[in-house]
Amino acid sequence: MAVHEAQGEPKLKRAAGLTQITLFGLGSMLGAGIYGLIGKAAGELGSAVWVAFLVSMVAALLTGLSYASIASRYPRAGGAAYVTQMAYRRPMVSDVVGLAVVCSGLTSIATQSNVVAANIAETFGVGAPHWLLAIGFLVLLSGVLFRGISESLWLNAVCTLVEAFGLILVISVGVSYWGNANLLEFPPSDGGGGIEGPVALLVMQGAVLTFFSFIGFEDMLNVSEEVKNPERTMPLAFILAILAATLIYIAVSITAVSVVPWQELAEAAGPLTLVVERAAPWFPVGVFAAITIFAVANTALVNYVMASRLLYGMSRQGLLPAPLGRVHKARHTPYVAIFVLLAIVILLSLLGDIAALASSTVLLLLMVFTIVNVALIVLKRRPDDKPGKFEVPAIVPALGALSCAALLIVRIAEGDWTAPLIAGGLVVAIVILYFVTGAGDEAVSYTHLTLPTILLV
């Protein structure tokens, strides 16, 4: 099932530069979540919501630096699945890791397609059924992906600039309010006295919530095979995207609690819309709603690109059927993977509410990040593994693994066992699929391959 590139076989096209891939990463981080996340985070941390973003940025930067180092070593599609195969040499681990990431992408795409449909219908008064609008959106996305990576990244750049404009608008109209609020006011306990639980625990819970505002690592790593000079470009893009997202998030959170009391912010259906209404009543609310559509669409686009490249890369490893690794001769895109994903996400979008499934894939991503951080430690300790052009000390992936594992434990300990049970069920299903399909028998073994041979796999 493993695919070796024959002479003349079409390949993915290296078309992305530093600006495009940085915007791609920033777009995946600035996605639609922040527009509602501020309210949820304010409910947990009060006006100290900016602290949660700062703490989660540190955790995200550790894992981001690990991914940057990995991209410098192995700039190819397949992402976490490829890295875990190189580190652990266990196809089943690679299969679980890769398909866990794919599951997260699928639930995100399906969820965002329904959100886009609902927003289009409400904002522009479109009378078509929501399911039809959602399918139309998904078909349009698949067409862009099939057309080429350049077109996908340019669309992402446009969406990223629009959603960044929306967040910068919030900061611009509300910066004059800075200083109006106590930025370290935590929610009181149920009895009205003191803080509910230790501050450290509150901050940790808030960090779990906000950490997922930074997770564009897999999205970026999976397009590294289509980036020019990826050994140098990818690490810089990772760092720039995380730092830019951090500055925007902290500024937005400070602005939000300065303009609107955190108690109101926590109850608002559209927290940032409320901030704009208070700080700039002259600004058309409809425009801000349209900006939200771009943000949601961008989240779906980035996840679609990531998932298609991950399926392609896993196929090249022999972990998935060979047709998923086919590249279109003219467009240089993994067209089979793109259209297989289209069929799956259309089905998921028709199922309606998949919130529980989406919550479970969040746990799977934390598991994946922990495994990938440890994989980098393994690779760094292996004498025959060639270092990349961007190396980090072993303490970075070690702390990255610990922080992701801690966030995973905190998330599970919140008390709702629905998501953990679904996540466990997905892992079991992936393992069963692995044995049923015989992927382990046909997967490429890298144990005795030299580096030049590996690069031809």
Side-chain angles (χ1 to χ4, degrees):
M1 198 180 291
V3 179
H4 296 261
E5 291 179 0
Q7 192 69 26
E9 184 180 344
K11 304 176 183 178
L12 298 179
K13 183 180 178 181
R14 293 200 180 276
L18 177 61
T19 301
Q20 285 178 304
I21 197 62
T22 301
L23 285 173
F24 184 76
L26 183 60
S28 68
M29 295 175 196
L30 292 185
I34 184 63
Y35 286 85
L37 182 62
I38 286 291
K40 294 180 182 177
E44 297 231 1
L45 280 176
S47 63
V49 58
W50 63 275
V51 178
F53 280 107
L54 189 60
V55 172
S56 59
M57 180 276 291
V58 174
L61 189 58
L62 290 169
T63 298
L65 288 172
S66 294
Y67 267 82
S69 181
I70 288 168
S72 179
R73 285 171 175 253
Y74 308 117
R76 40 183 306 142
Y82 184 81
V83 174
T84 52
Q85 175 66 14
M86 295 297 296
Y88 306 117
R89 295 167 177 171
R90 295 289 184 271
M92 187 177 74
V93 176
S94 302
D95 200 50
V96 170
V97 164
L99 290 181
V101 177
V102 171
C103 285
S104 72
L106 290 173
T107 55
S108 174
I109 299 165
T111 300
Q112 305 310 330
S113 69
N114 283 319
V115 175
V116 167
N119 275 276
I120 288 176
E122 182 178 346
T123 304
F124 302 106
V126 178
H130 284 192
W131 64 266
L132 186 59
L133 292 173
I135 291 176
F137 169 70
L138 291 171
V139 170
L140 178 63
L141 274 191
S142 67
V144 173
L145 263 69
F146 173 72
R147 177 72 183 171
I149 187 62
S150 293
E151 289 80 357
S152 299
L153 291 180
W154 278 117
L155 177 59
N156 163 258
V158 171
C159 290
T160 299
L161 292 174
V162 170
E163 61 181 314
F165 167 76
L167 297 175
I168 293 171
L169 172 69
V170 172
I171 299 168
S172 300
V173 300
V175 70
S176 61
Y177 289 77
W178 284 29
N180 289 356
N182 173 11
L183 296 180
L184 289 174
E185 181 183 349
F186 292 88
S189 63
D190 293 336
I195 296 172
E196 186 180 1
V199 172
L201 179 59
L202 280 178
V203 171
M204 194 66 174
Q205 290 173 339
V208 171
L209 188 64
T210 57
F211 175 80
F212 298 98
S213 303
F214 293 97
I215 53 174
F217 319 129
E218 270 298 313
D219 302 323
M220 296 177 72
L221 184 59
N222 272 284
V223 297
S224 56
E225 198 167 328
E226 297 163 279
V227 174
K228 301 171 186 175
N229 192 16
E231 294 85 358
R232 295 186 183 277
T233 302
M234 291 301 299
L236 186 55
F238 270 103
I239 295 169
L240 288 175
I242 292 174
L243 293 180
T246 300
L247 290 175
I248 293 174
Y249 283 151
I250 290 178
V252 166
S253 58
I254 291 175
T255 302
V257 297
S258 298
V259 175
V260 179
W262 65 263
Q263 295 89 340
E264 290 184 53
L265 210 61
E267 300 294 327
L272 293 188
T273 302
L274 179 60
V275 171
V276 173
E277 287 178 347
R278 292 277 179 89
W282 47 266
F283 188 83
V285 177
V287 174
F288 202 74
I291 291 173
T292 305
I293 294 175
F294 276 89
V296 176
N298 203 21
T299 301
L301 170 65
V302 168
N303 279 281
Y304 203 159
V305 173
M306 177 275 294
S308 62
R309 271 54 182 181
L310 186 49
L311 289 186
Y312 160 84
M314 291 180 68
S315 173
R316 309 299 277 189
Q317 287 178 248
L319 296 171
L320 292 175
L324 290 171
R326 290 177 184 165
V327 175
H328 195 272
K329 292 181 179 179
R331 308 303 338 155
H332 297 280
T333 52
Y335 66 102
V336 176
I338 289 170
F339 293 124
V340 166
L341 287 172
L342 175 62
I344 297 173
V345 293
I346 285 177
L347 179 61
L348 285 174
S349 70
L350 293 174
L351 291 178
D353 186 11
I354 54 172
L357 181 60
S359 296
S360 68
T361 59
V362 163
L363 298 176
L364 294 180
L365 281 178
L366 283 173
M367 175 194 75
V368 168
F369 294 152
T370 304
I371 292 172
V372 170
N373 274 298
V374 175
L376 180 58
I377 298 174
V378 173
L379 292 170
K380 289 176 71 67
R381 292 174 60 88
R382 189 172 292 157
D384 60 341
D385 199 82
K386 183 180 177 181
K389 293 183 179 179
F390 178 81
E391 286 294 309
V392 294
I395 188 65
V396 171
L399 291 175
L402 288 173
S403 62
C404 289
L407 291 172
L408 178 61
I409 292 170
V410 171
R411 184 78 179 222
I412 293 174
E414 288 179 354
D416 184 1
W417 286 96
T418 303
L421 288 174
I422 294 176
L426 286 172
V427 171
V428 171
I430 291 170
V431 171
I432 292 173
L433 181 66
Y434 170 83
F435 285 109
V436 168
T437 59
D441 299 329
E442 300 186 44
V444 179
S445 174
Y446 296 104
T447 308
H448 301 101
L449 297 183
T450 62
L451 185 63
T453 308
I454 290 171
L455 294 177
L456 293 174
V457 175

